[in-house]
């Protein structure tokens, strides 16, 4: 059996290829349970999904490394921020300006890519049909397969795929004991298996490779030696040094205390490390290790996008309690199933349309309420890149970005509510932390920076000055 460790429910609307039946999805947090961990580590092979918690995986580094040493095979997806298996290299963002800068190239043959034409990995589109490579250069979006590289590869590593004109290491493999680690530095490798193209071989090839390890039935039951650390100690290790003690809100005139709620995946970890965010001093709130009571001490609560629903559920009552504090601002980002836990909000699924900037199609995004003071902080580009469905806010909320269908506004993509609860609430179906942390989609970075500017300028102690200036910002 092959287990795929995942960190969240797959995005709504994603397809599930038939070969995936060979993979059993397992919640990565099951690693913290002794019996579940023993079962996971008795498998033939493992896939580490791009949505898995790197801080969690680091606590189990010894056990995961021993799994490979005993003959197991592991596919590691996405961007490694904190190495959680011995030998893993940290991912680095590639500075790119065009499609050829992220063109993947075959470097060394590997059985997972047998029969795959690398040109079929270069572009993605949602335009219906099967398209030639020449057509995809006109309508496709590049960068999904990879937009970064690895340096300081482990001893014995082989570069499988290079990226860009210098063929920098994107995919690589290396031996560890009797096993092998395969690293793909982009969106989950198995998601590129498409039967319309040569990439349809990736899924079956991957299954065959993972099942080809040499593990013995008696291996893989030893728990990680590092998992005994208490939740309090683990949270302290991830809290920024500048953070004030829990329960202490900012004093009048201070920069607001901004907390980013996350589940240790690579996008928020890379986002929190971004020097451009340093002036705002965002604090890490790693949900698995934090206590919900920490929200009481924050002025601004940013509910990061694509959170693990179980971890988010533990914090939902504290988030709702924060909405009763008029001194707080709460921002809820996309792919969080808000209709299940945020009062008065409905949701309607719409597929994510990411390619319209290449085809010139109208994606229906409309900006409303042009006189609203919010628009001092947000540009059209910051709020019109893509979204993950429609919101139906309660009466009185201000829908600033909407979807227009057949001449009618069918739902909000971003709204602000300052009337249905004492706190200021913003909700969007856009996912800027994911895309900013992924180094993908400049509009997402603009939205993230704009959010931080907005909450800093309109923080309650400075809100009177903001109003007195006629809605014109008097702070950075």
């Amino acid at each position: 059996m092959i287990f795929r460790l995942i960190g969240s429910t797959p995005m709504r609307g994603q397809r599930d290829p038939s070969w995936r039946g060979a993979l059993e999805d397992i919640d990565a947090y099951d690693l913290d349970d002794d019996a579940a961990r023993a079962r996971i580590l008795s498998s033939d092979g493992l896939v580490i999904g791009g949505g898995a918690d790197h801080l969690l995986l680091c606590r189990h580094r010894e056990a995961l490394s021993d799994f490979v040493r005993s003959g197991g095979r592991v596919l590691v997806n996405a961007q490694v921020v904190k190495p959680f298996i011995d030998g893993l290299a940290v991912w680095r963002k590639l500075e790119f300006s065009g499609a050829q800068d992220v063109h993947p190239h075959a470097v060394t043959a590997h059985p997972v890519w047998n029969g795959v034409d690398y040109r079929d990995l270069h572009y993605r589109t949602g335009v219906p049909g099967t398209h030639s490579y020449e057509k995809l250069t006109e309508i496709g979006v590049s960068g999904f397969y990879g937009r970064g590289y690895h340096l300081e590869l482990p001893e014995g590593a082989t570069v499988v795929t290079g990226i860009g004109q210098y063929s920098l290491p994107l995919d690589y493999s290396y031996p560890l004991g009797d096993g092998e680690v395969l690293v793909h530095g982009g969106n989950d490798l198995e998601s590129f298996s498409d039967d319309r193209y040569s990439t349809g071989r990736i899924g079956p090839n991957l299954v065959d490779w993972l099942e080809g390890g040499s593990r013995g039935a008696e291996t893989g039951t030893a728990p990680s030696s590092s998992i005994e650390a208490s939740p309090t100690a683990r949270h302290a290790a991830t809290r920024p040094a500048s953070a004030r003690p829990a329960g202490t809100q900012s004093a009048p005139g201070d920069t607001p205390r901004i907390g980013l709620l996350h589940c240790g995946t690579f996008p928020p970890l890379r986002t929190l490390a971004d020097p451009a965010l340093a002036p705002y001093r965002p604090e890490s709130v790693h949900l698995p290790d934090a206590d919900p009571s920490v929200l009481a001490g924050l002025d601004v609560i940013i509910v990061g996008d694509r959170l693990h629903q179980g971890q988010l559920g533990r914090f939902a009552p504290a988030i709702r309690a924060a909405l009763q504090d008029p001194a707080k601002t709460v921002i809820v980002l996309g792919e969080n199933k808000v209709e299940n836990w945020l009062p008065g909000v409905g949701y309607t699924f719409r597929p994510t349309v990411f390619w319209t900037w290449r085809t010139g199609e109208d994606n229906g995004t409309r900006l409303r309420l042009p006189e609203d003071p919010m628009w001092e902080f947000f540009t059209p580009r910051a709020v019109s890149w893509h979204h993950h469905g429609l919101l139906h806010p309660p009466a009185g909320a201000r829908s600033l970005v909407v979807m227009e269908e057949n001449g009618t506004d069918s739902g909000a993509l971003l709204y602000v509510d300052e009337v249905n609860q004492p706190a200021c609430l913003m909700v969007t179906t856009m996912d800027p932390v994911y895309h900013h942390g992924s180094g993908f989609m400049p509009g997402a970075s603009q939205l993230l920076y704009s959010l931080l500017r907005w909450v800093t300028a309109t923080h309650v102690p400075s809100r009177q000055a903001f109003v007195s200036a006629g809605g014109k910002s008097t702070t950075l």
Side-chain angles (χ1 to χ4, degrees), residues 109-196:
H110 189 284
V112 172
W113 285 264
N114 281 349
V116 174
D117 181 345
Y118 271 76
R119 297 190 307 167
D120 292 339
L121 296 169
H122 192 187
Y123 292 97
R124 270 189 169 180
T125 186
V127 177
T130 302
H131 308 285
S132 67
Y133 180 75
E134 290 69 28
K135 183 64 175 178
L136 287 170
T137 63
E138 299 174 3
I139 65 173
V141 179
S142 60
F144 283 95
Y145 187 79
R147 46 199 175 268
Y149 61 100
H150 304 89
L151 290 182
E152 301 174 355
L153 299 183
E155 183 179 355
T158 299
V159 177
V160 176
T161 305
I163 186 170
Q165 61 178 324
Y166 301 112
S167 288
L168 298 173
L170 171 59
D171 302 329
Y172 67 96
S173 67
Y174 65 97
L176 183 62
D178 293 329
E180 182 180 352
V181 179
L182 176 62
V183 181
H184 167 60
N187 290 18
D188 287 359
L189 180 62
E190 61 273 23
S191 72
F192 290 91
S193 187
D194 187 336
D195 291 338
R196 297 173 300 170

Side-chain angles (χ1 to χ4, degrees), residues 4-15 20 25-29 49-53 188 263 265 305-313 334-337 339-340 388 431 434:
R4 188 171 77 123
L5 300 182
I6 62 173
S8 60
T9 303
M11 287 193 303
R12 288 175 268 210
Q14 286 191 318
R15 61 191 184 85
R20 182 77 59 80
D25 283 353
I26 298 287
D27 191 324
Y29 292 106
D53 185 332
D188 287 359
C263 289
T265 57
D305 38 58
R306 306 191 185 197
L307 296 182
H308 182 282
Q309 288 297 295
Q311 300 296 339
L312 176 57
E335 287 290 325
N336 277 318
K337 299 186 177 180
E339 70 276 16
N340 294 336
H388 294 272
D431 48 350
Y434 173 81

